[in-house]
């Protein structure tokens, strides 16, 4: 009997490492979406419809539009980009008023949520304000049959790669909402495979 309990306790933590539980509240109200490569921007120039358009953010983080050549937008907010476009257009248009709306969200790599391991569809997701672990698991289709959900961890890049334990099996299979936690931009959710 003692040998069986030692064996089970040894399997509950992979590699002997244990991490503190993830804090339930991690989101901040000050978050502003940061533009990344792959986003699509709708640029509206008031009283100048010929200058208004939708443009993709190229892999190098730049956009090009009429009268706006090779502008770096990656890593900026939509308001910052609007002011930069206004500055460029002011050479040609009197008092331009520009609004920039992000219409396709990818975000910079540093802010994407990555899900690796035994998720049904491992992938990256654009971070959204107040995103939770449950939101992430719904987006990736849940766990595989081989997942060790309660051994999963979040690697929090915003805190110098600090690692936290999360209870995915309790959250998804048992409906224990106390296991739901806030996600932060750049989090990596690691879902290991069960040992047996």
């Amino acid at each position: 009997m003692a040998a069986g309990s030692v064996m089970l306790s040894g399997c509950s933590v992979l590699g002997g490492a244990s991490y503190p539980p993830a804090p339930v509240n991690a989101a901040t109200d000050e978050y502003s979406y940061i533009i990344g490569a792959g986003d699509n921007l709708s640029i509206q120039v008031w009283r100048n419809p010929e200058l208004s358009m939708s443009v993709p953010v190229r892999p190098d983080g730049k956009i090009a539009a009429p009268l706006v050549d090779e502008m770096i937008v990656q890593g900026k907010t939509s308001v910052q980009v609007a002011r930069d476009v206004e500055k460029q257009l002011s050479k040609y248009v009197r008092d331009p008023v520009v609004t920039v709306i992000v219409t396709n969200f990818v975000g910079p790599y540093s802010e994407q949520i990555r899900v690796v391991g035994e998720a049904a569809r491992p992938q990256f997701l654009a971070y959204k304000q107040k995103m939770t672990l449950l939101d992430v698991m719904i987006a990736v289709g849940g766990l595989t049959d081989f997942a060790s959900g309660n051994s999963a961890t979040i690697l929090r890049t915003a805190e110098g790669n600090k690692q936290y334990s999360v209870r995915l099996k309790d959250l998804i299979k048992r409906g224990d909402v106390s296991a739901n936690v806030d996600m932060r931009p750049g989090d990596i959710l690691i879902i290991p495979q069960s040992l047996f």
Side-chain angles (χ1 to χ4, degrees):
M1 179 71 175
S5 63
V6 168
M7 183 178 189
L8 287 175
S9 67
C11 293
S12 65
V13 178
L14 294 177
S18 68
Y19 301 101
V24 173
N25 297 317
T28 61
D29 291 332
E30 301 88 40
Y31 177 74
S32 293
Y33 183 79
I34 303 297
I35 295 169
D39 285 349
N40 204 42
L41 305 181
S42 174
I43 300 173
Q44 303 297 317
V45 184
W46 188 53
R47 293 185 306 206
N48 290 281
E50 68 280 1
L51 298 176
S52 299
M53 69 183 49
S54 181
V55 294
V57 179
R58 300 186 319 224
D60 63 358
K62 297 178 182 178
I63 60 166
L67 305 180
V68 178
D69 289 332
E70 303 295 311
M71 179 180 288
I72 295 174
V73 297
Q74 181 167 310
K76 298 179 180 180
T77 66
S78 60
V79 173
Q80 290 170 322
V81 172
R83 298 301 81 83
D84 290 348
V85 172
E86 286 174 352
K87 187 185 289 185
Q88 288 278 331
L89 291 179
S90 67
K91 299 173 190 171
Y92 313 101
V93 177
R94 182 180 302 169
D95 299 324
V97 177
V98 176
T99 303
V100 174
I101 301 168
V102 182
T103 57
N104 181 36
F105 299 91
V106 176
Y109 292 123
S110 63
E111 300 228 336
Q112 294 171 354
I113 304 291
R114 291 176 181 79
V115 183
V116 296
E118 295 299 315
R121 294 184 308 273
Q123 60 184 292
F124 71 88
L125 305 164
Y127 174 80
K128 295 175 181 73
Q129 178 76 353
K130 305 288 186 182
M131 182 181 247
T132 67
L133 183 59
L134 182 59
D135 298 325
V136 170
M137 292 312 299
I138 290 169
V140 299
L143 299 169
T144 67
D145 292 338
F146 306 106
S148 179
N150 284 348
S151 297
T153 58
I154 291 175
L155 182 70
R156 185 144 290 157
T157 59
E159 296 177 8
N161 292 334
K162 188 170 182 180
Q163 207 156 357
Y164 295 103
S165 65
V166 289
R167 299 178 294 125
L168 292 178
K169 183 177 178 182
D170 291 348
L171 177 63
I172 296 170
K173 304 286 186 191
R174 297 186 182 122
D176 182 356
V177 294
S178 71
N180 198 17
V181 298
D182 288 342
M183 301 298 287
R184 298 263 318 261
D187 279 356
I188 301 169
L189 177 60
I190 303 165
I191 308 169
Q193 188 175 31
S194 178
L195 297 178
F196 50 86

